[in-house]
Amino acid sequence: MKICVIGCGAVGSLFAAHLAHKGEAEVWAYDVWREHIDAIRKSGLRLSGAADFTAKLNATTDASELPRCDYGIVATKAIHTRNAIAQAARAFDDKSAVCSVQNGVGNEEIIAEHVKHVIRGTTFPAGHPIAPGHIGFDIAGDTWIGPFEPANTPMSRVEELAGLITRSGMNTIALQDARGAQWTKLIFNAATNPVGGLTLLHHGAATRFAPTGQLSQDLIAEGEAVAKALGIKLHGDARALVQKGANAPGKHRASMLQDVLAKRQTEVDFMNGAIVKAGEQAGIPTPLNKAMWALIKGLEHSWSDPE
């Protein structure tokens, strides 16, 4: 069996390294970060932190080198989904299934433009790059996956992929309806990422500082109201996830804060922007999420040194 991880940054590397280390499948990593791919090809992919090992796997920056794969795991930033899946789609046929484990909502719809069988996914493990070929595993956690409804993906494919990932060391739960898990993560991300990105506070500090901690709670309440109006039953409690992240060892910087510090485009359109858009469709006001979206977009705009 062959599995391709599309987007082998922090989160993608966690999946690729675990799957390759277990050895049940032939693992390919596809990413445009050339130094990282070169280091993996030369010395393997190292994880340290919540797990500590080095795995050998295939890695390339050239999508034409990818073989036909049974499964794909898309772990790019949401803003890169369209380009990444267009480039890697040649590795998948009508018997393949491709799973998103990305932040936000809307990625599955883009993947489905290129792949027949799509799996909706949500993952909580987090990490950060330490050096090319070396990823820090910051926070362990579960992954939930289920059929992307319009794609009519067989549940048997979802269960097979969940089993492979779980046996590799990253617990993954197969669900008939994964929307609740995805929206719980969306609400958590929308309530924490922009707060960290705007204040430069790591997750624990932003949670423990009363004003920003309360802001996150209020953002969660908006997201929950939208999910309820859409008829989505949440899978877990975003407030508990905030506390879990705050209690994790070290000073974990949310992905949006990492993007802000590097002056990279963020995923705010797929987080707060997605909640605002869904709220408009459902007739639910989301003024705080709209403010977070506007402020992050303004911050991004400042990096181009506007007149």
Side-chain angles (χ1 to χ4, degrees):
M1 182 172 293
K2 294 181 175 66
I3 299 177
C4 178
V5 176
I6 303 162
C8 200
V11 172
S13 289
L14 299 182
F15 283 93
H18 277 85
L19 286 163
H21 189 59
K22 177 65 175 177
E24 275 195 63
E26 179 182 318
V27 179
W28 284 77
Y30 172 60
D31 199 281
V32 296
W33 181 12
R34 185 170 296 279
E35 295 82 3
H36 187 52
I37 294 299
D38 288 345
I40 294 172
R41 292 173 75 143
K42 180 180 179 180
S43 305
L45 176 53
R46 182 187 172 194
L47 301 185
S48 61
D52 200 330
F53 61 84
T54 299
K56 293 288 187 179
L57 62 148
N58 305 289
T60 184
T61 59
D62 182 356
S64 68
E65 294 182 355
L66 296 173
R68 183 264 171 193
C69 291
D70 300 279
Y71 288 102
I73 297 175
V74 182
T76 65
K77 295 280 189 182
I79 56 174
H80 301 311
T81 303
R82 189 171 298 280
N83 285 339
I85 193 60
Q87 293 160 8
R90 60 172 303 282
F92 309 108
D93 59 22
D94 286 352
K95 294 182 179 179
S96 307
V98 177
C99 178
S100 167
V101 293
Q102 299 161 276
N103 285 328
V105 296
N107 293 292
E108 292 84 1
E109 286 82 354
I110 296 171
I111 295 168
E113 295 173 8
H114 300 273
V115 180
K116 180 178 180 180
H117 295 303
V118 180
I119 297 173
R120 186 189 295 278
T122 302
T123 193
F124 281 92
H128 71 282
I130 294 175
H134 184 189
I135 299 296
F137 190 176
D138 297 334
I139 300 174
D142 292 337
T143 299
W144 292 268
I145 63 176
F148 176 55
E149 302 78 20
N152 294 314
T153 305
M155 190 64 190
S156 60
R157 303 307 306 281
V158 176
E159 291 168 342
E160 183 175 45
L161 181 60
L164 282 166
I165 300 172
T166 295
R167 290 191 297 275
S168 78
M170 297 182 70
N171 192 50
T172 301
I173 299 99
L175 300 171
Q176 286 284 355
D177 185 352
R179 292 178 303 159
Q182 187 177 56
W183 264 80
T184 301
K185 175 76 179 294
L186 170 66
I187 292 167
F188 161 80
N189 273 329
T192 55
N193 270 273
V195 174
L198 291 168
T199 64
L200 308 186
L201 293 170
H202 66 81
H203 185 84
T207 302
R208 290 187 284 271
F209 182 55
T212 50
Q214 185 60 52
L215 176 57
S216 290
Q217 297 297 309
D218 295 341
L219 284 161
I220 287 173
E222 278 191 3
E224 289 176 336
V226 174
K228 183 177 180 180
L230 294 175
I232 296 173
K233 184 178 180 181
L234 297 177
H235 188 88
D237 183 356
R239 293 171 182 80
L241 297 175
V242 170
Q243 286 304 316
K244 179 181 179 180
N247 294 332
K251 297 180 178 180
H252 176 66
R253 291 172 171 171
S255 60
M256 195 174 291
L257 173 53
Q258 295 179 43
D259 289 338
V260 166
L261 293 172
K263 294 188 176 181
R264 294 188 298 254
Q265 184 181 355
T266 73
E267 297 177 291
V268 73
D269 289 335
F270 291 82
M271 293 180 184
N272 304 83
I275 289 177
V276 171
K277 184 177 179 179
E280 290 172 349
Q281 294 171 347
I284 302 297
T286 55
L288 290 176
N289 276 278
K290 192 169 187 177
M292 292 293 101
W293 174 83
L295 289 168
I296 291 291
K297 297 300 283 188
L299 184 58
E300 292 177 356
H301 184 56
S302 75
W303 301 332
S304 62
D305 193 25
E307 294 294 334

